[in-house]
Amino acid sequence: MRVSTLDQNTVRQLAGVEVDRVFEDRVSGKDQNRSELEEMIRFVRDGDTVLVHSMDRLARNLDDLRLIVRRLTAMKVRVEFVKEQLVFTGDDNAMANLLLNVMGAFAEFERSLIRERQREGIALAKNRGLYRGPTPSLDATRAAELREEAAAGVPKSVLAREFGISRETVYVYLRAGD
């Protein structure tokens, strides 16, 4: 499961579907650099099935989607997209591969439209003097505390919970302190 921000939730994803283990990312699907995705790939074994609510939850980029599905099916892991009712095993027919490419292209197109509308909205707000940019999640004192705790070895997920920010934001603050 994946949502892009902390204030979104995954309740509707795989609701009523029984699974053995859940891997949940709270970051953008724009790339494969997602800790829970990597953890899931390390966890799965030959014969397992990975259930994904919809293709856009696995990846928002067609190349990444194809690569992740190929990576899993090469491990003899079955990938099932619940919303699209598609299953990939590595022994897929031409129609299944076409649908993966078409549906993945739509997910990528949708993400591009979202970014385009966001840029347009920001430009309009700037023209009206209403846009000041994102406000930092932490002030300088709290950011320094976060860096100190990280240097002391506190896990990033613990820091994220403690400071009320996403893990990705933890990494942003850590990179900014370099």
Side-chain angles (χ1 to χ4, degrees):
M1 294 188 285
R2 183 192 63 76
V3 289
S4 299
T5 65
L6 285 175
D7 58 335
Q8 293 175 325
N9 69 60
T10 58
V11 173
R12 70 178 181 84
Q13 297 179 31
L14 302 180
V17 178
E18 191 172 321
V19 296
D20 293 331
R21 178 142 180 216
V22 173
F23 297 89
E24 182 177 315
D25 272 314
R26 292 188 171 273
V27 296
S28 173
K30 68 182 177 189
D31 59 41
Q32 295 182 58
N33 186 19
R34 304 189 329 250
S35 61
E36 287 295 299
L37 172 63
E38 285 305 315
E39 177 64 24
M40 184 266 301
I41 290 171
R42 283 191 297 272
F43 178 81
V44 295
R45 299 288 179 260
D46 184 342
D48 284 350
T49 297
V50 171
L51 291 173
V52 183
H53 172 68
S54 62
M55 287 182 180
D56 68 334
R57 299 297 87 200
L58 187 59
R60 286 281 196 167
N61 171 298
L62 179 57
D63 292 334
D64 288 344
L65 178 66
R66 287 190 300 216
L67 187 65
I68 294 166
V69 170
R70 274 193 223 118
R71 188 173 171 190
L72 290 167
T73 57
M75 299 167 59
K76 306 286 188 227
V77 172
R78 186 174 177 263
V79 180
E80 182 177 337
F81 295 99
V82 177
K83 184 178 177 184
E84 293 88 356
Q85 298 180 4
L86 293 173
V87 175
F88 297 90
T89 63
D91 299 325
D92 306 309
N93 62 32
M95 181 58 80
N97 287 317
L98 173 66
L99 288 172
L100 177 71
N101 285 292
V102 169
M103 301 297 283
F106 276 113
E108 186 173 327
F109 175 67
E110 181 182 27
R111 181 170 189 282
S112 295
L113 286 177
I114 290 167
R115 290 179 60 206
E116 186 176 298
R117 286 191 299 261
Q118 182 181 33
R119 282 191 303 271
E120 288 171 357
I122 289 171
L124 288 172
K126 280 182 179 178
N127 288 342
R128 291 191 311 256
L130 301 174
Y131 184 79
R132 292 171 180 46
T135 56
S137 301
L138 304 176
D139 61 25
T141 304
R142 294 281 287 159
E145 290 172 16
L146 180 134
R147 284 191 277 277
E148 286 174 19
E149 289 189 35
V154 176
K156 309 309 185 274
S157 58
V158 172
L159 291 172
R161 279 192 298 278
E162 179 183 336
F163 286 86
I165 58 178
S166 69
R167 258 191 309 222
E168 181 59 32
T169 303
V170 168
Y171 285 103
V172 168
Y173 277 104
L174 295 177
R175 284 191 299 265
D178 292 340

